[in-house]
Amino acid sequence: MTPLDYDYLRKLLKERSGLMLSADKQYLVESRLLPIARRIGVPHLSDLVVKLKAPGSEPLIVDVGGSNDNNESFFYRDKIPFDQFREVIVPGLIKARAAQRRIRIWCAAASTGQEPYSLA
């Protein structure tokens, strides 16, 4: 993969998923994209980038984004986020939303789905 290809992928992943990749993570992106390149029948990752830029590439873009997810669920196993949620965040939300008596919580990127249920 050329530096320009990697730069394109970094920008794409940041725009589509908020994932910010440093220059030294190219090897990781390459290892995650090689199975996709093989599956769609392109010999090089540069060819995959060309396909990503083509019209109608949305399904491929979604695959590329999904292949670079971290899939970690430390939140569920770590006591500190729950303590912070209970002791800092919830009291602040209750105070800020006292007039509405309603709190909505968005739990982004729930790897296995345990986070929203645990917060509830």
Side-chain angles (χ1 to χ4, degrees), residues 37-115:
R38 285 188 206 110
R39 188 180 75 236
I40 66 168
V42 296
H44 305 287
L45 291 178
S46 292
D47 299 318
L48 175 64
V49 171
V50 169
K51 289 198 174 279
L52 287 167
K53 294 178 180 179
S57 63
E58 185 62 26
L60 184 57
I61 290 171
V62 170
D63 282 349
V64 166
S67 73
N68 284 279
D69 290 344
N70 286 332
N71 298 322
E72 297 200 18
S73 59
F74 289 118
F75 182 93
Y76 189 67
R77 295 186 300 254
D78 193 352
K79 184 178 183 303
I80 294 172
F82 288 108
D83 291 344
Q84 289 291 314
F85 184 72
R86 183 181 64 250
E87 297 167 10
V88 178
I89 296 170
V90 170
L93 286 172
I94 289 171
K95 184 177 180 180
R97 307 282 299 188
Q100 293 90 0
R101 297 186 47 84
R102 183 176 181 183
I103 295 173
R104 294 182 69 193
I105 298 170
W106 176 53
C107 192
S111 176
T112 57
Q114 293 141 325
E115 295 87 345

Side-chain angles (χ1 to χ4, degrees), residues 8-26:
Y8 169 79
L9 288 166
R10 286 173 61 188
K11 289 176 184 173
L12 177 70
L13 291 168
K14 182 178 181 205
E15 175 186 302
R16 297 300 295 262
S17 66
L19 181 62
M20 295 180 61
L21 294 165
S22 58
D24 66 335
K25 296 295 182 185
Q26 183 171 336

